[in-house]
């Protein structure tokens, strides 16, 4: 039963990431985003994955949701970097 609740938690958090990625693609902006926040979430998912790998009760179907969320947050970090560079070039700052 604990696997169900863990997956429910991951899906609940995970629903927001595709929405965030779509917003980043549409707006081409970093406005309202925090790189520090994204990086902390990314590191948190890595810790969660590490915990699962070290657990004696390892389940691939739970790991799938951790990895899916990690990939979505990673994509949002990449989009943040792309949009940050685009914004700074638009105002004449060379990075």
């Amino acid at each position: 039963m604990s696997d169900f609740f863990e997956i429910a938690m991951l899906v609940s958090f995970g629903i927001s990431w595709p929405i965030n990625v779509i917003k980043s693609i549409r707006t081409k902006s970093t406005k309202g985003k925090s790189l520090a926040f994204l990086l902390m979430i990314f590191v948190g998912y890595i810790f969660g994955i590490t915990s699962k790998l070290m657990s004696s009760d390892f389940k691939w179907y739970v790991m799938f949701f951790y990895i899916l969320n990690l990939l979505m947050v990673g994509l949002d970090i990449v989009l943040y970097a792309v949009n940050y560079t685009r914004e700074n070039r638009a105002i004449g700052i060379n990075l």
Side-chain angles (χ1 to χ4, degrees), residues 37-73:
F37 176 77
L38 291 172
L39 291 172
M40 288 306 298
I41 297 296
F42 190 83
V43 169
Y45 281 127
I46 289 173
F47 286 150
I49 289 169
T50 302
S51 170
K52 285 296 171 191
L53 290 172
M54 296 174 77
S55 172
S56 61
D57 189 31
F58 179 82
K59 304 239 175 30
W60 278 106
Y61 57 87
V62 175
M63 181 64 73
F64 170 79
F65 290 100
Y66 275 102
I67 292 170
L68 184 61
N69 284 352
L70 180 73
L71 291 173
M72 285 287 123
V73 175

Side-chain angles (χ1 to χ4, degrees), residues 66-90:
Y66 275 102
I67 292 170
L68 184 61
N69 284 352
L70 180 73
L71 291 173
M72 285 287 123
V73 175
L75 177 57
D76 208 23
I77 291 170
V78 169
L79 289 170
Y80 182 95
V82 168
N83 291 339
Y84 183 84
T85 302
R86 179 182 294 127
E87 289 170 344
N88 286 319
R89 283 189 183 148

